[in-house]
Amino acid sequence: MILLVDSGSTKTDWIALNAEGAEIFQTQTFGLNPQVLSAEILTERIINNYELYKHRHEVTHVYFYGAGCGTTKPKELIKGVFDEFFDKAQLIDIKEDTYAALYATTKKNEPGIVCIIGTGSNCSLYDGENIEQKVTSLGYILMDDGSGNYFGRQLLRDFHFNKIPKELAYEFAKQFDLTAESIKNHLYKMPNPNTYLAQFARFLITNKDHEYCKKLIRKGFKLFIEHQILQFKNAKEIPVHFVGSISFYLQDELRDLLKEYDLKIGKVLKRPIEGLVAYHKNYIMI
């Protein structure tokens, strides 16, 4: 049994295939970001899934594409968890989520810029053969422009600085616990602070036609375009693809802004898992 796994910080999609490429099952767990979660929590999130637990001894290959897997230590952490859980696996391949987005949106030998804008954000150049990432992510506190946690952080700051228009602030407070005690508890004492921040982005999406929200969305996406996409000299010559819930639900706003920068938008996908399956069937399982 082959497992293809695409993991963000919020959720993880799993698809199991047999040796011929036929689907056995699909399932979903919470996100498995080894940058912000311990081995114990990672294990708990896997072991509590019925399908994964039931089939754990049948898995022979695991191809995992995950947020937070861009450096050696997080990769080793999650590989250790998988080695123990999928104890009969012959191969456990760990790559960062950029590769899942790349495989889902581009074809071999087809250059493009591939962006992820979900709970977090990043951007890479694919020249048709190799992938290049010029900016090393320093995580959700210092980077992740235009992402869910970026927008959540801005909303919370503006709310407590009284920068959100009163009628919008009233609705915001009705939907979430915005007390200082609750916010600080989630940010400094609970796991997944980046996911906690990203949950507030849905309020921004729901109210995206409000002038305050329009300005905030524009600000976040401008930062992403200028800091990430425009770092590549040929950015205006090749398509720019997007994967992730924020880019998917705000794609109209994203398209309009990209036009202002003379950038060509390519594919916009909420989840890369289906494209990932096609890639593996076409190029790996042959």
Side-chain angles (χ1 to χ4, degrees), residues 32-36 64 66-79 94-99 122 133 135-139:
L32 302 173
N33 187 334
Q35 290 276 16
V36 295
F64 180 86
C69 293
T71 54
T72 302
K73 284 189 177 181
K75 282 184 180 180
E76 291 175 346
L77 174 61
I78 203 154
K79 188 176 185 303
I94 310 293
K95 287 185 171 68
E96 61 180 325
D97 55 350
T98 299
Y99 285 88
N122 62 45
Q133 200 168 40
V135 175
T136 301
S137 176
L138 298 177

Side-chain angles (χ1 to χ4, degrees), residues 133-152:
Q133 200 168 40
K134 286 190 175 182
V135 175
T136 301
S137 176
L138 298 177
Y140 74 97
I141 295 176
L142 296 178
M143 290 192 172
D144 282 359
D145 293 333
S147 69
N149 72 67
Y150 166 86
F151 287 127

